[in-house]
Amino acid sequence: HGLPVPATAVVTTDAYRRVAEHPAIVELVSRLGMTADGAGVDDEVVDATFVGVGVPDDLRESILRIRREVAPGQPVAVRSSATTEDLGGASFAGQYSSFIGMDGDDEVVDAVVRVWASLWHRAPVLYRRLHGMSGDDVAMAVIIQAMVPAVRSGVVFTTDPGGRADHLRVEHVPGFGEALVSGAVTPSAEVLARADAHDGLVVGDAVRLSLQAEQVFGTPQDVEWADDGTRTWLVQSRPITTTPDVTHDDGFDTPIADDRRLTTAGIGEMLPGVFPILSWATAGFMVEEAFRQTMSQLGALPSRLTESHGFVVRVRGRAALDLGLVGEVATSLPGGSAEQLEHEYF
């Protein structure tokens, strides 16, 4: 389609399935399937099981060969691409592992193995069950992609998920996009009319290319891009799983005061994407209750907390954590402070 994409290779699902036939992994997946939420199998245990199984020599050599073809002598990004990822009605954004700046042979192969393992981390297992997806035939391909030496990176939502259908949203940060995706840096953000969104903008090329990607796929896209100072590259495109008409003022958001300090960091991994009303009423309640139980056990549950959603709220259909309220809890504990909490949390 003529879109600028960095050199890329794929470790296919056949490779994953070959490794997943190992008895240790079969037993692990069986244990996950015996519980409603994968309880008792920590992500670290899942990772250790896959790392312990390792990669057959011939498959390892194939991985390293395509890695050398993609970016000889240069670092690569190692990214997830599961068979149940980025569907029309569900997005697994941020739930599977991806790694940037991988260089040495052992580092690249280990990253591939850890991406495979993330297929069975607790968050995506729960998310698949929430959306009625069977885990019987799920598999993980792995993208190996040449790193763009980015001076600026970001995302373009070709339709603003929290606003009007005729507008788009751009978010960008200096350097690599990992800082934006992880929440480590607050991005610059702009909401623009689609009709003239790329005119005169610093990120105009990213917007123009993202709208072309939308035409290719035939549906609104969430596009990740990176600019190396001379050219803008598209590094990922996934469908936006909700439309503005569904998420804008549906009457079920949490009433919140303007001075409440909210963040999606952490919560966005547990409660990803825009939540339909029934899913929010169940999943949102459970996460809220988990926070309250924890604070109660610490003897620090705020007495003023009377509303049904205090720690976890819904804003334009998305879940967010009230960082100010959690900061109050931290301040009430001996030796605790809101500032230390933020430092640890982020």
Side-chain angles (χ1 to χ4, degrees):
H1 297 287
L3 293 169
V5 178
T8 304
V10 182
V11 182
T12 68
T13 53
D14 287 344
Y16 164 81
R17 289 190 171 104
R18 180 179 167 190
V19 172
E21 290 174 352
H22 191 282
I25 295 178
V26 171
E27 191 272 337
L28 169 72
V29 173
S30 176
R31 286 166 59 198
L32 287 165
M34 291 170 62
T35 60
D37 61 356
V41 183
D42 292 335
D43 292 349
E44 292 78 9
V45 174
V46 175
D47 289 348
T49 302
F50 274 81
V51 170
V53 167
V55 181
D57 289 344
D58 62 324
L59 183 53
R60 174 187 170 89
E61 182 50 41
S62 294
I63 292 171
L64 294 176
R65 176 178 53 78
I66 63 172
R67 176 261 183 277
R68 288 189 291 268
E69 291 177 2
V70 162
Q74 301 295 322
V76 294
V78 180
R79 311 183 63 157
S80 68
S81 187
T83 53
T84 56
E85 190 169 2
D86 300 336
L87 306 175
S91 173
F92 284 78
Q95 296 191 51
Y96 298 125
S97 295
S98 289
F99 302 90
I100 63 172
M102 299 294 100
D103 200 357
D105 288 357
D106 290 343
E107 194 173 58
V108 171
V109 174
D110 182 69
V112 171
V113 171
R114 291 179 184 275
V115 172
W116 284 337
S118 69
L119 185 66
W120 298 104
H121 283 179
R122 187 169 296 177
V125 168
L126 285 169
Y127 191 67
R128 288 196 294 268
R129 288 173 180 164
L130 178 67
H131 287 271
M133 301 176 189
S134 170
D136 295 342
D137 195 41
V138 65
M140 177 69 80
V142 181
I143 306 297
I144 296 180
Q145 190 174 67
M147 286 288 296
V148 176
V151 297
R152 182 160 294 275
S153 305
V155 296
V156 173
F157 299 93
T158 60
T159 295
D160 180 17
R164 293 169 46 182
D166 59 350
H167 283 61
L168 55 79
R169 181 178 180 86
V170 187
E171 299 180 0
H172 52 96
V173 295
F176 293 116
E178 178 66 18
L180 186 158
V181 176
S182 67
V185 174
T186 300
S188 300
E190 300 164 85
V191 176
L192 308 161
R194 283 168 52 97
D196 54 0
H198 58 276
D199 293 344
L201 285 179
V202 174
V203 295
D205 283 346
V207 171
R208 176 178 54 81
L209 292 168
S210 297
L211 291 173
Q212 289 180 25
E214 179 187 83
Q215 290 182 330
V216 169
F217 291 110
T219 187
Q221 296 290 298
D222 167 1
V223 181
E224 295 181 24
W225 54 270
D227 186 344
D228 63 10
T230 59
R231 189 176 189 185
T232 299
W233 301 85
L234 304 188
V235 297
Q236 180 167 281
S237 189
R238 59 163 57 94
I240 297 175
T241 56
T242 57
T243 63
D245 294 333
V246 173
T247 64
H248 185 61
D249 193 21
D250 62 8
F252 286 85
D253 282 350
T254 309
I256 55 173
D258 291 340
D259 60 350
R260 286 178 75 170
R261 299 181 62 224
L262 307 179
T263 179
T264 59
I267 292 298
E269 284 75 15
M270 290 190 286
L271 301 171
V274 175
F275 262 71
I277 296 163
L278 181 59
S279 297
W280 170 249
T282 53
F285 170 81
M286 288 188 287
V287 176
E288 173 74 24
E289 186 62 20
F291 269 95
R292 293 187 184 219
Q293 289 285 345
T294 300
M295 304 312 176
S296 178
Q297 290 168 11
L298 289 170
L301 186 66
S303 58
R304 68 174 181 83
L305 191 59
T306 57
E307 60 267 33
S308 59
H309 283 284
F311 291 103
V312 183
V313 298
R314 183 177 185 264
V315 181
R316 290 189 175 181
R318 296 180 181 271
L321 175 68
D322 188 327
L323 194 64
L325 184 59
V326 182
E328 285 184 31
V329 172
T331 302
S332 72
L333 296 171
S337 71
E339 293 76 14
Q340 181 66 16
L341 169 81
E342 287 199 35
H343 177 76
E344 297 289 342
Y345 191 79
F346 291 105

